[in-house]
Every structure is written in C-alpha cells, then in structure tokens.
Amino acid sequence: ANSLLYYYLDNARNEWISTTAGVSKLAAATRIINTWREVLPGITAADELVSVQKGADQHIYVAAFGTGRVYRIDPLSGKAGTLLADRLPDTWCVSGFGNEMVFTGSSLFITRYNTLTGNYTQSGFLKKYFPASDVIILAFRQQNGDEWYSGNNGGGLVRISARDGSIHHYRKDGPAG
C-alpha cells in the first residue's frame, strides 16, 4: 500500500508529495510527474519520507523519518544526494528559515544548514525549556520572523521573538510566556 506522508506546494505552484513509495513532483505548467525513489542513496522500502521543503538554493529537502538521512534533490537535473548524517538528528521535521533549513527530531539539538554556504550549526538551547523532552517535534518560522519549537512529553512551545530575540515558553499548566 502507498500512503501520503507530506504535501508541499512551491511558489511556482508545483506540487511535491512524499509517500511511502518516494517523492513526486507534479509540474504546474506541464502536468508532468517526476518521481524520485531509486536515486535516493540508501533508501529502503521501509523508509517513510516526510517534511518536503524547498531551500533557498532551489533544491528540495526530504527527511527519511527516524534514519538520520536527509535527501537533497536538484529538481533541474533530477540528481539526489544526502546531507551529512553525523550532523543531523533522526529528523522528524525540516523547515525553511530563509537561507537555512532547520532540522529537528530525536535530540534536543536544532541543526541549521545554510543552503547557500553548506555550513552546519547546532544549538542545544532548548534543553533548558524542555527538560522532560527527548524529541523536538516541530520547528516553524512565522511570517513575522518569530520562531516556534515544540517538545514532546509535555515540553510545550517555545517562541523566539524576531523583534527583540526574547524567548517565551508556553506550557499547559505553566505561566504565560
């Protein structure tokens, strides 16, 4: 059986879909479908492809859930490769933050990859806010530039204000951030 895992609509109105069978792009202009599975290095039939995102470098980034592998697909050439697995968590979430892709998952570290320079940076600042969490489930940048992160096991939400860099922690039973 083939299941839909993630859907992404890029600025050119191309539809990117990850399923248990691979990643596909339905081109808006031509309605031609391109599919990537066999060209993804190290992919297995059990891998679930999640969090399809387009980077500032125009490549598509796709995480193989729970494997530590993130694929980088060049939509023009059709070629695919992987990012450095030793620099990434077992990724649950890939989010575009300007020139950077932000990866979160099975650690309390956030990994940022600058798609234009190829540089990686990591930060563990969320440990302080999510002491019972072992997974950062979500990273999201709001239109106003605020960054949001959520942790499992009651970790709640953390918001970093784009205006002044202040950090606000929201919990179910805690004080307002």
Side-chain angles (χ1 to χ4, degrees):
N2 190 10
S3 300
L4 174 68
L5 299 171
Y6 197 85
Y7 173 85
Y8 172 72
L9 182 67
D10 69 22
N11 290 339
R13 313 263 332 137
N14 298 311
E15 298 176 78
W16 292 85
I17 303 162
S18 73
T19 69
T20 51
V23 177
S24 297
K25 173 189 168 189
L26 174 60
T30 63
R31 305 311 285 173
I32 293 174
I33 298 174
N34 291 324
T35 300
W36 291 268
R37 176 103 189 160
E38 295 77 26
V39 298
L40 300 178
I43 193 87
T44 70
D47 289 339
E48 294 183 9
L49 302 174
V50 296
S51 292
V52 178
Q53 290 290 318
K54 189 174 190 177
D57 62 353
Q58 304 305 305
H59 288 82
I60 299 297
Y61 293 83
V62 183
F65 178 76
T67 66
R69 286 191 314 274
V70 173
Y71 298 101
R72 182 175 177 247
I73 300 170
D74 181 339
L76 297 177
S77 71
K79 294 182 180 176
T82 57
L83 296 184
L84 298 174
D86 63 338
R87 306 253 177 112
L88 301 171
D90 283 348
T91 303
W92 287 40
C93 176
V94 178
S95 294
F97 283 31
N99 291 342
E100 296 179 322
M101 300 305 294
V102 174
F103 306 99
T104 63
S106 65
S107 77
L108 292 182
F109 284 91
I110 296 167
T111 301
R112 294 174 181 261
Y113 172 73
N114 187 308
T115 63
L116 303 179
T117 66
N119 292 329
Y120 294 84
T121 57
Q122 285 190 329
S123 173
F125 82 94
L126 287 172
K127 289 180 186 182
K128 172 180 170 181
Y129 302 98
F130 299 150
S133 298
D134 57 357
V135 174
I136 303 301
I137 298 170
L138 175 72
F140 173 76
R141 180 178 271 174
Q142 201 171 334
Q143 228 175 0
N144 70 356
D146 286 2
E147 296 180 9
W148 291 84
Y149 302 94
S150 83
N152 70 340
N153 295 329
L157 293 168
V158 166
R159 177 178 64 91
I160 302 173
S161 171
R163 184 175 43 82
D164 61 10
S166 60
I167 298 175
H168 307 270
H169 188 196
Y170 304 92
R171 294 180 305 257
K172 179 180 175 183
D173 297 322

